[in-house]
Amino acid sequence: MPMNIAIDGPVGAGKSSIADHVARRLNILHLDTGAMYRAFGLYALRSGVDLASEEALSALVEKVDVQVEYADGAQRTLLFGEDVSDLIRTGEVSAAASAVSKWPAVRRRMVRAQQEMAARADMLIDGRDIGTVVLKDSPCKIYLTAASEERARRRYVQQLAKGDNTPFDQVLRELIARDEQDMNRKTDPLRQAEDAVLVDSTNMTEEETVEAIVKIVEEVYGKQ
Ligand code: DC
């Protein structure tokens, strides 16, 4: 059985970058499942379909080709062979990913692909439904969160550094809207699995959070 670690949490909890650090420390791959929903969201935007149409998106997900590759340990996300890893980081694609990910047919397709990858390699997987669905039998689950103001502040600082001047209030509003959508959808909403360990990073540095998670993993799988 490969070593599979699940990390779930809301927008801006730092899952991706924390998961990256933890995976490097453990020398295993990190699968960012949000990138897969984002790639499909980008495809839906490009295709011009109505993101609120279950029928249109269920048909579209049958056609899409989303692949994940690793270059020097870093994930690259491919849409029909095109590397869209950077293109999928816009606000427009974030909102599209959140919208398309609520449809059961879309989730089924993505979950299946993620489970196939997890069965083949030691992997740390981050997302919204990893502990509850994708790796529901994993012995190692973490729910990583932080206060919404703090998550918005981190996102705001990150965006500013990239030259994006979106005001803090708007960042906070969009983050709360996406949380709402992800936590209240009918199919596999974001929630803490009963057997997940809660890590609240509101008052923790990135290094402290990485250490806390490595410790949880080592308690389950032993020292790596
Ligand atoms: O983690 P992220 O912000 O890149 O994810 C983008 C969107 O994809 C998020 O708003 C909800 C959805 N998502 C999901 O429904 N299930 C996952 N396992 C990962 C992401």
Side-chain angles (χ1 to χ4, degrees), residues 8 101 107 128-130 132-133 143 179-192:
D8 291 296
S101 65
R107 304 207 66 78
R128 302 290 191 289
D129 60 339
I130 311 306
T132 51
V133 180
Y143 190 82
D179 278 357
E180 282 272 321
Q181 176 141 262
D182 297 343
M183 289 175 177
N184 295 315
R185 65 175 178 231
K186 283 205 203 78
T187 313
D188 308 337
L190 168 65
R191 62 180 177 80
Q192 182 181 346

Side-chain angles (χ1 to χ4, degrees), residues 37-84:
Y37 289 95
R38 285 170 180 270
F40 179 59
L42 175 63
Y43 179 49
L45 287 173
R46 284 180 174 175
S47 305
V49 303
D50 176 3
L51 301 187
S53 164
E54 177 169 16
E55 207 188 331
L57 288 161
S58 303
L60 202 67
V61 79
E62 289 306 315
K63 292 192 227 153
V64 77
D65 174 25
V66 174
Q67 304 281 342
V68 166
E69 280 183 5
Y70 291 89
D72 295 328
Q75 174 172 334
R76 306 306 298 175
T77 308
L78 309 180
L79 176 62
F80 293 101
E82 174 192 354
D83 186 341
V84 293

Side-chain angles (χ1 to χ4, degrees), residues 79-208:
L79 176 62
F80 293 101
E82 174 192 354
D83 186 341
V84 293
S85 311
D86 300 322
L87 287 179
I88 56 177
R89 297 292 152 195
T90 65
E92 191 190 14
V93 175
S94 300
S98 186
V100 299
S101 65
K102 75 179 206 194
W103 300 117
V106 175
R107 304 207 66 78
R108 272 199 302 276
R109 175 87 198 271
M110 297 295 166
V111 167
R112 202 181 333 121
Q114 291 154 15
Q115 288 175 330
E116 281 168 14
M117 284 186 258
R120 286 198 299 264
D122 289 345
M123 206 169 248
L124 183 155
I125 307 190
D126 90 86
R128 302 290 191 289
D129 60 339
I130 311 306
T132 51
V133 180
V134 178
L135 297 179
K136 66 176 183 315
D137 298 326
S138 166
C140 189
K141 301 177 182 176
I142 290 127
Y143 190 82
L144 178 62
T145 190
S148 43
E149 293 268 340
E150 173 60 16
R151 290 187 282 120
R153 192 194 62 77
R154 292 176 191 168
R155 181 59 45 108
Y156 173 71
V157 171
Q158 250 174 21
Q159 291 183 349
L160 263 190
K162 283 197 252 160
D164 174 344
N165 293 322
T166 310
F168 175 79
D169 284 356
Q170 187 181 335
V171 175
L172 178 61
R173 235 180 307 120
E174 286 174 3
L175 179 137
I176 291 172
R178 203 138 71 87
D179 278 357
E180 282 272 321
Q181 176 141 262
D182 297 343
M183 289 175 177
N184 295 315
R185 65 175 178 231
K186 283 205 203 78
T187 313
D188 308 337
L190 168 65
R191 62 180 177 80
Q192 182 181 346
E194 273 168 29
D195 50 349
V197 181
L198 176 69
V199 176
D200 183 335
S201 72
T202 308
N203 297 309
M204 291 163 81
T205 63
E206 193 166 89
E207 292 74 34
E208 287 167 342

